[in-house]
Amino acid sequence: MAEQYSIEINGHAYAVNFGQKLLDVATSNNIFIPNLCSHRNLGLIKTCDVCFVEVNGELFRACETEVAPGMKVDTKSTRVKDAQYEAMSRILENHELYCTVCDNNNGNCEVHNLARYLELDHQKYEFRPKPYPPDYSHPFYRYEPDQCILCGRCVEACQDLQVNETLTIDWKREIPRVIWDQDVAIDNSSCVSCGHCVTVCPCNALMEKTMLGEAGYLTGIPDKILQPMIELTKVVEPGYSQIFAISEMEAAMRETRTKRTKTVCIYCGVGCSFEIWTKGRHILKVQPTVDAPVNGISTCLKGKFGWDFVNSKERLTKPLIRKGDKFVEASWEEALQFVVTRLSEIKDKYGPDSIGYIASSKCSNEENYLFQKFARAVMGTNNVDNCSRYCQSPATVGLMRTVGIGGDSGTIQDIANSDLVLVIGANAAESHPVLATRIKRAHKLHGQKLAVIDLRINELAQRADLYLHPQPGSDLILLSAVTRYILDKGWEDKDFLSERVNGFEEYYKSLDKFTIDYAAKITRLSETEIIKLATMIHEAKSTCVLWAMGVTQHIGGTETSTAISNLLLVTGNYGRPGTGAYPLRGHNNVQGACDFGAVPTWFPGYERVDNHEVRTRYEEAWGVSLPTNPGLDNHQMVEEIQNGKLKGLYLFGEDMALVDSNSNHVRSMFEGLELFIVQDVFFTKTAQYADVVFPAAVSLEKEGTFTNTERRIQRFYQVFEPMGQSKPDWIIFQDLANQLGANWNYKHPSEIMAEAASLTPSLAGVSYERLEGWNSQIWPVDINGKDTPLLYTDGFALADGKANLLAVDWIKPYDPGNEFDLHLNNGRLLEHFHEGNLTYKSKGIVHKVPEPWLEISYELAEQRNISEGALVRLVSPYGEVKVKVMVTNRVKGNELYLTMNTAEDFAAVNHLTSSYHDRVTHTPNYKEMSVRMEVLTEEGERPLPIVNHRFGHPIPQIGVKVEEKWNRSDYIPIPALTELGGNEYGESNHLH
Amino acid sequence: MAKAITYIEHQSFNEIDEQDLAIAELIRATSSNREAIVATLDILHTLNEIGVLAIMQGLLKSRTDVGQIAIQLLNQPNLTRALKNGMNAIQFLGSIEPAKLQTIFLGISHGLQRAVGSLQERKQSSYWELGRGIREPEVKSSLLTILAFIHGVGEVFYREETKVH
């Protein structure tokens, strides 16, 4: 326990912990000490100087002063007030107060609020514009140097929280400013548009472009009137208090118009939550807050800026029915009636198992629950699955069979606090950007070790202490050899193994063949590299392993996931803070779709459908008899269409025609369906094959919950009404079920959650009341609402509370033959989500990344005599694509990387992938393909524009380098000034 | 066999449907606010008759240019001074405590009465009487008050003169 003692603040005693900072002590005891640069999510900055207080009679910054026993603090003395006044005056020399006509005047402008608090009535130092024009070059935000108070929050956020290392303050020039890279236009810099800087800016220096001219009542005034108006205000203003009064009235008026709604991001599985500010349907901005349990103020560019799709003109707003060779708009009554008739006909004719149901990992828990209930209780089949089949099912199974729960073992906090993070086959910096920031930060600032196993030198690989590039598909051998080496060296956690793990002997025998020598031969890594990894794991007090599609999308995906879990068990890396297995979930609710039962073998909470006792519970609750056998998964459904057994398919929120592997085959299967119902927000590639298309509402148009990769359930709230005649998915299911005689009567998603919680032991205590606002619950949640951020502290979720070590063997990856000489890897990228059906609706994102590209190595480019921009055709046994080339050192030798951000048939990677799949879970082996490359043109226009962050030149440094500010000849430390008194400082007038 | 199709036939009557819905909505709103709307129409009618609407229309349509001219006009030194003086005057009035001002007003009022009385009497006053009068507590108090007032004014004058800009 931390050492405790007491200090005195303004004559009162307060208990403090050793090492606490004075500002934090004051804040937690509701004593306000002015501050501007400090921020709960950021490190110490020390630039603003407004937090000076008297400590034992001397002036110190409260933000950096550590408490000490017997310390006497005065936060209100005249000297303190004088110091704060001086500091604030210096700030206002850099910032013009024209609050009423400022888009940041929303009650949360920290500069405004502090000037008001300090009762500053006049500018002590005259406002001095900076000799730099505003930078509007970036599509999403602008920098106005004249308003920048040089607090350096943006720099700290960029350097040490996002760790993109783009922003610095150039303290050396006569009038300092924030610069991007080596002082280039923002758009041309290494900026990844994550928005951290804009979010933490305490004033209007950095602002979202969507706010400009929109947020205030007077801010839309044309510049030629606005500027003279500001001048006029400055001339006639009697003092700031009147200005503040008017601006606060205006801010209060804005509150009635600007709606702030908490939401949860709909992109990846990290589960960022934030407020979304709207004016009517116009999205003013995304405003993250320190209260968000996963991300705090962090976002990536998609979460912060990628919401244009919501109001896209391409949204589906009316039901469509296929009539001949066209779709015709229909009323809801007509479309529902059509579906009811056709579903009933097919069910009667071919039986309930002739229809498949594909749920959506983009939609809410309640919607997935209701959809599986619809399939099981109304339509009588377990043929229900979701897109985790395409990504993380192998990880789920690998974990369920070793430790019992198919989810992350801990939270993002555990990853941040771990001694060693091992990332295998995951590009977290692009696919899970906010989660990656926590690793980058811990690695940069807190000595965390980072090891990366990947084919590509992605961003985390570049930063890693150890980067291993094994032969594609050989991870299991590498991991097993590392485990065996650890055992051979006697580095295993013996107590952990004997007390908490079953099956050691048999498992140990299975490692016989995985010698370092054998591993080196197959993986083509050096023995030293493999031993280095084993040693790093041994030396770390805690290890987290993170993995994703690079592991799972293989024939042996489940086996490799199991090998990861085995390694963690042998080294005792479960059940303690900072340890565990983290299969990073790709979609916002891929975890929840599985948790809430949209899986052919499981009811909600992973209880088997063929378990009599469990089934009886559901039959009693739902008042129906339920099918007894597990249903078909996605892959089997497609197979059964081919076999003529599956006649109907109902799919929502999933573009299967693009994202399933071997697209050409899948599409030809769709053509064989008698009834295909597609429900989506856009007219997707899949919808083109539909008989009926239902228009669905987006997350901002409904309420619900999502479950992120940590197993954390979070609520999102309705912002505005559904567009056109689109409806929330759960309402569509209910309407349809009722037309089929179900008699459901859910009035709000909370009622669906209550039902799910009442039936699912692991969700027993989940409720909307407990999830109110920024609250969240991490399942398992007991009936009293106690949740479980860290799993396995008391035991594993298996029969006897012990984990299983499970022998696994390597399965050689699929090889299409010598003719296909180049290995094809593929995946997401930062800017577009998945194939991009949402992100391509954002002009700003398209400006940064207009199209997909193929990464090839310098060696290959030279060998084939092609340069960047060359157009090539890739041919696999399953299809072909045409793409432009980027030459990069991210890939080596004969390995290619094709980005998946396209819905265009000529470039979509799944025209190349096969129908082979993971042996256990049927997840397609997307990552096992080789191709032949034909050069169509040897050069051409580069597919990635120069304004992309990948061409930038970051300037890594720790923080804002405030020492450089202090070393400037014109900087006079405030304590020195207050000690001088007289004309240099104080009651008199100021010489400067 | 359901081949992929991309052609969506948007029903042409939908637009008309939407118009109908909008009109129905308007009629509903109009009938429930009949009195207010009729009164407003009357006001509009009058404004139109006297040409105010035309002026407003002109102003609104050329709002940017007119606004610029207006702001330029306001930005003239005389006007900004007037504005500032106006605000200062309001501030001045606001800064005086009513009770104190009332005492002074009462004093002035009473003093006026006595002064008027003294004028009416037209009595010849000697220097002796003047000297004696100064020693009277009422006169002394009044003179000290005036002295303090002058002192205060002087303080501010001095401070403003030595201010460094």
Side-chain angles (χ1 to χ4, degrees), chain A residues 86 276 386 500 511 555 638 653 683 728 755 811 852 864:
Chain A
E86 169 67 19
I276 195 143
N386 73 85
R500 304 196 56 184
L511 291 178
I555 292 179
V638 176
F683 187 70
E755 178 181 312
I811 304 169
R864 302 288 170 100

Side-chain angles (χ1 to χ4, degrees), chain A residues 144-380:
Chain A
E144 169 57 279
D146 278 354
Q147 293 299 90
C148 174
I149 62 168
L150 299 170
C151 68
R153 268 190 186 180
C154 53
V155 176
E156 167 70 13
C158 184
Q159 289 286 342
D160 296 341
L161 183 57
Q162 157 68 29
V163 197
N164 201 58
E165 302 170 325
T166 300
L167 273 63
T168 54
I169 289 181
D170 184 357
W171 294 111
K172 293 197 174 64
R173 55 180 80 193
E174 190 190 341
I175 299 181
R177 61 162 286 173
V178 176
I179 59 168
W180 277 252
D181 289 357
Q182 305 276 10
D183 195 11
V184 297
I186 302 175
D187 203 27
N188 292 77
S189 72
S190 57
C191 168
V192 289
S193 320
C194 63
H196 278 76
C197 56
V198 185
T199 297
V200 297
C201 180
C203 59
N204 62 337
L206 283 159
M207 281 204 83
E208 300 85 354
K209 282 188 169 175
T210 41
M211 285 283 280
L212 298 177
E214 289 286 346
Y217 285 90
L218 298 173
T219 56
I221 295 172
D223 219 38
K224 61 181 179 179
I225 299 187
L226 181 66
Q227 283 311 322
M229 252 176 83
I230 294 169
E231 290 308 312
L232 177 68
T233 317
K234 276 163 57 185
V235 173
V236 303
E237 51 103 356
Y240 285 144
S241 50
Q242 287 80 4
I243 299 282
F244 287 149
I246 295 169
S247 67
E248 277 165 24
M249 270 167 56
E250 203 261 352
M253 278 166 68
R254 290 188 194 189
E255 272 177 39
T256 60
R257 188 173 72 166
T258 305
K259 189 174 172 186
R260 305 175 187 192
T261 316
K262 182 223 165 176
T263 196
V264 181
C265 187
I266 45 77
Y267 287 110
C268 78
V270 172
C272 297
S273 54
F274 30 72
E275 275 183 348
I276 195 143
W277 289 23
T278 49
K279 186 176 86 178
R281 280 193 81 92
H282 175 77
I283 294 169
L284 286 168
K285 68 164 165 175
V286 159
Q287 180 66 29
T289 128
V290 290
D291 300 317
V294 184
N295 55 309
I297 56 95
S298 293
T299 46
C300 75
L301 106 163
K302 300 183 290 294
K304 176 79 182 172
F305 299 113
W307 293 85
D308 289 347
F309 73 90
V310 170
N311 287 317
S312 164
K313 287 199 168 57
E314 293 172 42
R315 284 274 306 275
L316 285 169
T317 55
K318 289 187 175 127
L320 304 174
I321 297 179
R322 174 184 286 260
K323 284 187 180 159
D325 56 358
K326 63 190 176 196
F327 282 104
V328 178
E329 290 178 344
S331 69
W332 271 105
E333 293 73 27
E334 196 185 342
L336 285 172
Q337 193 50 54
F338 177 87
V339 166
V340 166
T341 311
R342 296 291 294 123
L343 274 178
S344 308
E345 279 170 9
I346 292 173
K347 187 181 163 192
D348 291 347
K349 192 169 167 190
Y350 304 107
D353 289 336
S354 65
I355 306 169
Y357 302 84
I358 293 176
S360 174
S361 53
K362 298 228 76 68
C363 291
S364 72
N365 289 322
E366 295 74 10
E367 287 164 339
N368 278 287
Y369 174 85
L370 218 52
F371 193 64
Q372 60 90 33
K373 181 176 175 180
F374 177 78
R376 293 184 163 122
V378 180
M379 300 305 294

Side-chain angles (χ1 to χ4, degrees), chain A residues 222 224-225 228-229 231-232 234-239 242 316 318 320 322 324-330 670-673 683 687-691 989-991, chain B residues 1-12 14-15 18 63-68 71-72 74-75 79-81 83-84 87-88 91 159 162-165:
Chain A
K224 61 181 179 179
I225 299 187
M229 252 176 83
E231 290 308 312
L232 177 68
K234 276 163 57 185
V235 173
V236 303
E237 51 103 356
Q242 287 80 4
L316 285 169
K318 289 187 175 127
L320 304 174
R322 174 184 286 260
D325 56 358
K326 63 190 176 196
F327 282 104
V328 178
E329 290 178 344
F670 287 161
E671 291 175 359
L673 287 166
F683 187 70
Q688 293 177 12
Y689 294 86
D691 294 290
N989 301 293
H990 310 289
L991 298 161
Chain B
M1 293 296 276
K3 290 280 178 200
I5 46 174
T6 52
Y7 178 64
I8 300 173
E9 186 178 271
H10 296 280
Q11 290 176 359
S12 53
N14 278 337
E15 209 171 301
E18 273 164 21
R63 58 190 175 276
T64 307
D65 295 332
V66 173
Q68 198 186 5
I71 290 283
Q72 273 169 1
L74 282 175
N75 254 343
L79 269 166
T80 53
R81 264 184 240 137
L83 281 169
K84 194 157 184 162
M87 278 198 245
N88 284 342
Q91 264 197 322
R159 196 166 67 212
T162 54
K163 209 169 196 171
V164 180
H165 288 285

Side-chain angles (χ1 to χ4, degrees), chain A residues 769-788:
Chain A
E769 290 71 33
R770 287 176 175 146
L771 292 168
E772 188 72 43
W774 300 103
N775 295 328
S776 62
Q777 292 180 302
I778 304 176
W779 68 263
V781 182
D782 74 14
I783 191 78
N784 300 315
K786 186 177 172 295
D787 67 351
T788 321

